[in-house]
Amino acid sequence: MSSSLGLAVSVLLSFAVASAANFYTDTNITWGDGRGKILQNGELLTLTLDKWSGAGFESKDEYLFGKIDMKIKLVPGNSAGLVTTYYLRSHGATWDEIDFEFLGNLTGDPITVHTNIYCGGKGDREQQFHLWFDPSKDFHLYTILWNPNRISFLVDSTVIREFPNMESIGIPFPTKQPMRMYSSLWNADDWATRGGRVKTDYSHVPFTAAYKGYKADACVWANGKSSCSGSSTRPNSWMTQKLDVAGQQRLKAIQKKYMIYNYCVDTWRFPKGLPKECIAAAPPPKQRG
């Protein structure tokens, strides 16, 4: 870690805001003309899609680093053609973004968890998974952990993907632009299910995704300043969180069993060579002896 980055982390460790799980106080429903609803005194939020529109909401706060939790129950039954999103994104033409996208499927077929990372408006860092449970049958916890050293995607507190900060070798990493949390339910049957070959069946409307347990243990950005520039005795373990050896082994096992697409091995897509971060993160060749 460079001295400047180490100083930044030590300052940011000093204070962060952990918001309570209340959708009235923490979020705004931004589109959908009534298809987004906050229920149960702010503890539950639902998004509904019909043949005319889906819906979406966003966090009231912006964050510059944090651990963002959301419990989501995806659209049950035939959800082919639908996409449920949960992501962080900054503003502007050169935006940063950290994505969970859930691609619907026919009843009984697995829902695909699509992850991606954008920096400076450029993405193309997709990894996809089929999970070890049906995410439409109950609520499960999805976490985006974003600190100066890495981005981690977690499902029920298990890391399924990590993207380390490799700025030292010229690979962009989101460290400067504050991001807001967004979520939406929308129709994308031109690509979402089997490359667009399976279309949305509107005889099953309304489609509904449900949310609860939103928690942002994060550095809130407001008026050009971070809440983490103050002082506090409360530690923020997520700011320096990383996998130990056992965690790295578990991540490899999860990816070996449940990953269905990894851009870092897609030589057809990158005929001129894999992205630099894929080469940098590849394990060293085994020594012959």
Side-chain angles (χ1 to χ4, degrees), residues 93-128:
T94 56
W95 75 95
D96 297 338
E97 186 173 335
I98 306 170
D99 288 342
F100 268 114
E101 293 185 314
F102 304 90
L103 312 184
N105 214 334
L106 296 168
T107 303
D109 289 341
I111 290 171
T112 296
V113 180
H114 176 100
T115 66
N116 201 356
I117 297 164
Y118 288 76
C119 192
K122 185 181 184 302
D124 299 330
R125 297 185 176 100
E126 300 93 342
Q127 289 183 356
Q128 295 182 341

Side-chain angles (χ1 to χ4, degrees), residues 3-288:
S3 58
S4 60
L5 181 57
L7 177 61
V9 171
S10 65
V11 171
L12 290 169
L13 275 168
S14 62
F15 181 72
V17 174
S19 63
N22 188 295
F23 289 108
Y24 281 122
T25 58
D26 296 342
T27 67
N28 291 316
I29 295 175
T30 50
W31 63 281
D33 194 22
R35 293 172 179 82
K37 297 183 184 300
I38 298 176
L39 308 166
Q40 297 180 7
N41 296 318
E43 295 183 1
L44 179 71
L45 188 151
T46 61
L47 299 179
T48 296
L49 180 144
D50 54 32
K51 63 180 64 177
W52 293 281
S53 179
F57 67 100
E58 67 182 29
S59 63
K60 292 183 178 180
D61 288 329
E62 287 185 301
Y63 313 108
L64 188 62
F65 305 122
K67 182 180 180 183
I68 316 298
D69 291 332
M70 185 80 79
K71 293 180 180 178
I72 307 174
K73 182 179 180 182
L74 299 176
V75 173
N78 185 348
S79 61
L82 307 184
V83 175
T84 306
T85 67
Y86 165 53
Y87 61 102
L88 304 180
R89 179 175 170 138
S90 65
H91 297 289
T94 56
W95 75 95
D96 297 338
E97 186 173 335
I98 306 170
D99 288 342
F100 268 114
E101 293 185 314
F102 304 90
L103 312 184
N105 214 334
L106 296 168
T107 303
D109 289 341
I111 290 171
T112 296
V113 180
H114 176 100
T115 66
N116 201 356
I117 297 164
Y118 288 76
C119 192
K122 185 181 184 302
D124 299 330
R125 297 185 176 100
E126 300 93 342
Q127 289 183 356
Q128 295 182 341
F129 303 83
H130 287 161
L131 298 176
W132 49 95
F133 54 83
D134 182 346
S136 70
K137 289 190 176 298
D138 204 349
F139 286 93
H140 289 270
L141 177 64
Y142 302 93
T143 302
I144 297 171
L145 190 153
W146 169 39
N147 67 34
N149 299 308
R150 60 187 38 82
I151 294 166
S152 301
F153 297 81
L154 296 87
V155 177
D156 287 338
S157 301
T158 296
V159 178
I160 65 168
R161 178 180 183 179
E162 277 209 327
F163 187 84
N165 184 336
M166 294 178 276
E167 287 182 300
S168 61
I169 57 172
I171 298 167
F173 187 87
T175 57
K176 298 177 177 65
Q177 300 190 76
M179 294 194 264
R180 200 180 298 273
M181 182 281 298
Y182 296 89
S183 189
S184 60
L185 174 61
W186 55 290
N187 176 42
D189 64 5
D190 58 332
W191 65 271
T193 306
R194 301 182 189 176
R197 294 189 298 275
V198 180
K199 303 299 182 181
T200 303
D201 183 353
Y202 286 105
S203 68
H204 296 278
V205 298
F207 301 104
T208 300
Y211 301 78
K212 66 180 183 180
Y214 175 56
K215 179 182 178 184
D217 191 359
C219 302
V220 174
W221 184 266
N223 300 316
K225 295 181 180 180
S226 169
S227 64
C228 292
S229 61
S231 61
S232 173
T233 58
R234 185 171 63 84
N236 305 303
S237 60
W238 55 264
M239 186 60 79
T240 56
Q241 184 171 329
K242 62 181 180 179
L243 292 174
D244 57 16
V245 173
Q248 292 172 359
Q249 292 174 343
R250 177 167 175 76
L251 173 60
K252 290 179 181 178
I254 287 286
Q255 292 187 338
K256 182 177 181 180
K257 189 170 184 179
Y258 298 107
M259 182 186 289
I260 61 170
Y261 177 80
N262 181 4
Y263 78 108
C264 274
V265 298
D266 193 344
T267 55
W268 180 86
R269 181 179 174 187
F270 301 104
K272 295 182 179 180
L274 294 172
K276 190 175 181 180
E277 68 266 20
C278 301
I279 300 169
K286 294 182 179 179
Q287 298 291 327
R288 294 183 180 181

